[in-house]
Amino acid sequence: MRLAAKLENLSKDYVLGAETVHALCDVSIDIPEGDYIAIMGPSGSGKSTLLNLLGCLDRPTSGRFFLGGDDVSKMDDRQLSNIRASRLGFVFQSYNLVPQLTVMENIELPLYYRGGMTREDRDRCRELAEMVGLGDRLRHRPAELSGGQQQRVAVARSLANDPQFILADEPTGNLDSVTTEEILALLDRMNDEGRTIILVTHEAEVAAHTRRVIRFKDGRIQSDVIS
Amino acid sequence: MTFAWIRTWQLGVKSLLLHPLRSLLTILGIFIGVASVIWLLAIGEGISLKAQEQIESLGADNIIVRTIKPSADDENSSVAYGITREDLGRLEVIPTVLRAVPIRELRQRFYHNGHKVEGRLVGCTAEYAELTQLRVERGHFISEAESKSIENHCVLSAEVARRLFPLEDPLDQMIQVEQDVYKVVGVMKHRDATSGIGGSLAGQNFSNDIYVPIKTVEKRIGDMVILRRQGLFHAEIIELSQITLRIDDVDHVLETAEVVKRTLAKQHGKKQDYAVTVPLELLEQARATRLMFITFMGMIAAISLLVGGIGIMNIMLATVTERTREIGIRRALGAKQIDIVMQFLVETIVLSVVGGVVGVLVGLTCGPIVVFARERLEAWIPDTMGNLPDVVRSITPVIVPVSIPLAFGISVFIGVVFGLYPAIRAALMDPIEALRHE
């Protein structure tokens, strides 16, 4: 089995005033391609820190992080940006759409930073919008959409650059149960297509959709259960 | 790549249109800066060109010697003062002097058929018309032959002719000056008053002049002038009011001026009753003044552009803070630091370019607007305007061609310089912090 990502003794410290906070201590995880992982744990347990490291938004204090075959832990800002643009998709709790852009423009945004867009890319973005059920809202702005619709735009956006890896930070945290199911169905479908999905959640029902649940406490792995 | 660029620009414009008033005010700052560069330079240029023109109209190859009244407390003051016919004789023989044109001016009253005009009687020779750029309307100016004669012939300025002869043809009519009667042989065209040019040369108003041969003045009126001052009679003896020397070559003007000054100093001693004006010297001074003017105006304009730039920076810093979250989102989606820098820089460049273009367009309207405003003000508050110096009253801006690309270039430069700091600040934000920003 090929690994989508590999974490080796990953640690992250934050210096807050005179104190050093060990947000993540010596974490090692192998993530095979196509895995579907829920990361759970109380707040302050290190799950957001882990997600930031996995999302190449931050660099570890020590340890190594391989994405595909590349050691990401030593990369500079420019290289990390390129990785984010080409290999990762993000879904956030608060949707994080750009308010002045239309639905279509929001979906296309990652392609723009990947270095240009072909006609096929554009067609694919339209298909993605249709897939999430917003084919008739392409010219709307985020403020004109409901929370569930905005999150569906965000899901479509995370797929625009055809990433291997989807990182979702409490994607259903702001949604009611009906829309939660819709979004999770979309994530399930993405996983069925072979993408690796890692999602952070507090909710057991959400975690139940995944194949593997990793629990964190005080910056360490408490349990790693494959269902 | 081109696609990305078009998108960057589109996005920049779009973001700016999201806050139309804010963008407009920022543009206004740059616009005022650019327009003021063009305006101030144009006004400065207009004033100095006017001054140069006036000096040039005196003739760069001329030297003008004028009689001035010595100050009353001058111990050498006497009834007789000013330049004399003897002086004329001495100056005429300087080898570089082509010719010397003397005039004698007197305040007089002119009468005809019950009409009275108070004006200036100018005793002169035939060359005077050419020297002061006077043109004949009807008849002829004092001729060469008349210059040497003592005939009672006179030439009227257009205004005097109109006021003395409201209904008749003045030609060949007679007018009375003191006890003498003069025959009108010509009428001149209207000539605008010249303005004074620093130094000893006051502005000249030609509208109340009549011209007669200088020999006639000498013969009929003489050198003695009786003035009544505070009930006392007071006599003055003046032979000549002015001598204009034409020099054979512009290169000889300055040396000749020295000779003229020395010659006169020897004759007049300490008596300060004449002044030598060298238009060429004035011209050189005016050119130096022009440079100073341009520097000064340029500095004022630079300050207003700087203020505009600070306005841009202020707005962009606010925009960056306001859009922190958006920056985080874009970074998460793969935007590099340089992408963020470009995104914000494009916005400031759009602002400053639009401000620059509008500024240039408004800058170009400088001439008509200033002239219009001047005319309005003259109609509205004629007294106040009348008291202003002539250079200001007759101001006509002349756009300095280089000021247009200069102002535009500076505005874009300022946009980039002042936009760079906010843009870099945006790019250096920690993406995680930015995403958390509320």
Side-chain angles (χ1 to χ4, degrees):
Chain A
M1 187 170 44
R2 285 176 56 189
L3 289 180
K6 183 180 173 66
L7 282 62
E8 273 182 12
N9 310 102
L10 216 56
S11 293
K12 180 73 190 178
D13 300 336
Y14 291 108
V15 180
L16 283 177
E19 250 182 299
T20 305
V21 179
H22 303 287
L24 219 54
C25 296
D26 209 18
V27 171
S28 298
I29 309 174
D30 286 353
I31 303 171
E33 271 181 11
D35 210 350
Y36 195 176
I37 304 175
I39 294 174
M40 301 186 75
S43 53
S45 61
K47 49 187 199 312
S48 292
T49 307
L50 179 71
L51 204 70
N52 287 338
L53 289 173
L54 289 172
C56 300
L57 289 167
D58 207 351
R59 268 166 291 196
T61 310
S62 65
R64 302 219 283 174
F65 168 34
F66 295 93
L67 199 67
D70 305 315
D71 186 356
V72 174
S73 46
K74 300 285 178 294
M75 285 185 176
D76 63 18
D77 187 87
R78 190 186 170 83
Q79 291 167 311
L80 289 178
S81 299
N82 281 330
I83 297 262
R84 291 197 295 271
S86 57
R87 300 201 208 165
L88 301 178
F90 284 91
V91 181
F92 302 93
Q93 179 177 6
S94 45
Y95 329 131
N96 277 346
L97 302 178
V98 178
Q100 65 265 38
L101 300 183
T102 63
V103 165
M104 190 62 186
E105 287 165 337
N106 265 293
I107 295 174
E108 288 170 349
L109 199 55
L111 296 173
Y112 171 52
Y113 293 117
R114 206 188 53 183
M117 193 174 348
T118 59
R119 184 169 290 278
E120 294 85 69
D121 285 329
R122 188 161 284 225
D123 290 341
R124 219 165 53 79
C125 287
R126 194 167 291 120
E127 281 166 28
L128 286 171
E130 274 157 20
M131 182 192 92
V132 298
L134 292 168
D136 55 342
R137 300 261 154 87
L138 296 180
R139 300 192 134 304
H140 287 57
R141 297 198 189 267
E144 298 161 353
L145 302 176
S146 71
Q149 287 171 326
Q150 290 191 46
Q151 194 62 306
R152 283 189 270 157
V153 176
V155 170
R157 179 180 67 184
S158 74
L159 293 172
N161 55 352
D162 195 16
Q164 305 142 340
F165 235 103
I166 308 279
L167 299 163
D169 188 1
E170 306 212 30
T172 60
N174 289 357
L175 302 176
D176 61 44
S177 56
V178 179
T179 42
T180 294
E181 280 308 314
E182 285 174 11
I183 295 297
L184 289 173
L186 284 170
L187 290 175
D188 292 349
R189 186 167 155 193
M190 284 150 72
N191 182 244
D192 293 341
E193 285 169 2
R195 298 181 213 273
T196 310
I197 297 179
I198 297 177
L199 66 86
V200 169
T201 183
H202 312 292
E203 295 163 82
E205 308 89 81
V206 175
H209 278 256
T210 62
R211 197 171 300 132
R212 179 179 175 188
V213 178
I214 303 177
R215 285 181 188 277
F216 273 79
K217 197 178 179 189
D218 300 329
R220 290 171 197 280
I221 297 175
Q222 193 185 29
S223 66
D224 185 348
V225 182
I226 299 171
S227 58
Chain B
M1 195 59 207
T2 36
F3 162 79
W5 267 103
I6 295 168
R7 274 300 289 267
T8 309
W9 288 94
Q10 275 179 345
L11 193 82
V13 173
K14 222 165 154 178
S15 305
L16 292 174
L17 290 178
L18 232 61
H19 298 286
L21 182 65
R22 188 193 282 186
S23 304
L24 203 71
L25 290 174
T26 316
I27 287 172
L28 201 65
I30 288 292
F31 149 68
I32 290 173
V34 170
S36 67
V37 168
I38 297 173
W39 275 59
L40 290 175
L41 287 179
I43 290 171
E45 184 76 352
I47 290 176
S48 55
L49 275 188
K50 186 100 185 171
Q52 278 188 41
E53 213 174 84
Q54 282 165 5
I55 296 165
E56 270 161 12
S57 76
L58 291 176
D61 51 357
N62 285 346
I63 295 173
I64 298 160
V65 183
R66 270 190 82 81
T67 288
I68 55 173
K69 203 179 164 74
S71 54
D73 52 348
D74 191 333
E75 56 187 54
N76 295 311
S77 77
S78 66
V79 249
Y81 68 88
I83 37 181
T84 59
R85 281 181 280 277
E86 203 180 320
D87 290 331
L88 175 64
R90 284 178 215 280
L91 297 178
E92 261 175 343
V93 296
I94 296 172
T96 49
V97 171
L98 275 186
R99 58 173 193 262
V101 182
I103 62 165
R104 172 82 175 97
E105 301 161 355
L106 291 145
R107 304 293 318 171
Q108 285 291 352
R109 295 192 185 89
F110 317 128
Y111 301 92
H112 171 76
N113 203 8
H115 298 286
K116 177 182 131 187
V117 172
E118 240 190 280
R120 186 169 70 154
L121 180 79
V122 182
C124 58
T125 55
E127 289 118 330
Y128 185 73
E130 181 212 325
L131 213 62
T132 49
Q133 293 155 23
L134 290 166
R135 310 227 177 295
V136 175
E137 168 90 44
R138 310 195 46 211
H140 61 86
F141 194 70
I142 311 291
S143 68
E144 288 285 345
E146 283 165 330
S147 302
K148 296 190 179 79
S149 75
I150 51 165
E151 275 178 277
N152 282 13
H153 284 178
C154 74
V155 177
L156 307 183
S157 68
E159 287 77 5
V160 171
R162 192 169 44 73
R163 286 166 65 190
L164 285 182
F165 300 92
L167 302 169
E168 303 158 73
D169 179 1
L171 272 193
D172 296 325
Q173 300 264 18
M174 294 296 178
I175 67 163
Q176 192 194 339
V177 179
E178 299 213 315
Q179 314 85 339
D180 297 310
V181 171
Y182 292 78
K183 183 175 151 197
V184 177
V185 296
V187 176
M188 306 308 285
K189 284 192 172 142
H190 172 77
R191 162 97 154 86
D192 283 326
T194 63
S195 41
I197 310 131
S200 56
L201 226 58
Q204 266 186 305
N205 181 355
F206 298 91
S207 58
N208 287 326
D209 285 358
I210 77 166
Y211 309 97
V212 296
I214 191 162
K215 297 273 186 208
T216 308
V217 176
E218 196 184 321
K219 176 85 181 165
R220 304 279 172 210
I221 299 175
D223 301 332
M224 171 97 76
V225 184
I226 310 288
L227 297 167
R228 220 172 74 176
R229 199 191 286 155
Q230 293 167 341
L232 292 171
F233 286 96
H234 179 82
E236 283 182 350
I237 298 169
I238 302 168
E239 292 187 16
L240 294 173
S241 306
Q242 177 177 321
I243 303 170
T244 304
L245 303 170
R246 176 145 290 177
I247 311 304
D248 57 357
D249 192 323
V250 175
D251 293 339
H252 296 151
V253 169
L254 295 179
E255 308 159 38
T256 311
E258 275 313 302
V259 177
V260 168
K261 284 175 190 166
R262 257 183 286 137
T263 310
L264 291 172
K266 212 180 286 169
Q267 292 306 310
H268 293 250
K270 284 193 185 128
K271 213 159 149 190
Q272 294 297 314
D273 59 352
Y274 67 95
V276 179
T277 304
V278 186
L280 188 68
E281 269 176 7
L282 292 177
L283 199 62
E284 270 155 21
Q285 277 170 23
R287 286 188 181 133
T289 314
R290 172 170 174 263
L291 266 185
M292 222 175 69
F293 225 89
I294 286 180
T295 317
F296 180 66
M297 290 295 192
M299 268 163 66
I300 293 177
I303 290 170
S304 60
L305 267 176
L306 187 74
V307 172
I310 293 170
I312 282 205
M313 183 137 139
N314 196 0
I315 287 296
M316 289 317 288
L317 283 174
T319 304
V320 164
T321 307
E322 194 184 81
R323 286 161 66 184
T324 302
R325 179 135 187 169
E326 182 195 326
I327 295 164
I329 298 169
R330 289 176 181 272
R331 294 281 278 138
L333 298 182
K336 290 182 270 296
Q337 285 173 338
I338 186 75
D339 293 324
I340 302 295
V341 169
M342 287 318 295
Q343 181 190 338
F344 286 98
L345 211 52
V346 158
E347 289 189 21
T348 58
I349 291 173
V350 168
L351 286 176
S352 57
V353 165
V354 172
V357 168
V358 180
V360 166
L361 291 180
V362 172
L364 291 176
T365 65
C366 176
I369 286 184
V370 166
V371 171
F372 176 78
R374 195 183 68 210
E375 282 164 3
R376 299 270 43 164
L377 282 176
E378 264 166 11
W380 186 37
I381 39 167
D383 296 344
T384 319
M385 289 299 289
N387 289 335
L388 287 176
D390 206 64
V391 227
V392 179
R393 247 188 312 144
S394 61
I395 185 171
T396 308
V398 177
I399 287 168
V400 188
V402 76
S403 71
I404 293 167
L406 184 80
F408 186 75
I410 291 176
S411 75
V412 174
F413 175 76
I414 284 212
V416 172
V417 166
F418 286 88
L420 209 55
Y421 172 69
I424 287 175
R425 214 163 98 148
L428 290 181
M429 281 181 189
D430 176 11
I432 299 166
E433 289 295 323
L435 272 171
R436 257 189 233 137
H437 188 90
E438 282 309 316

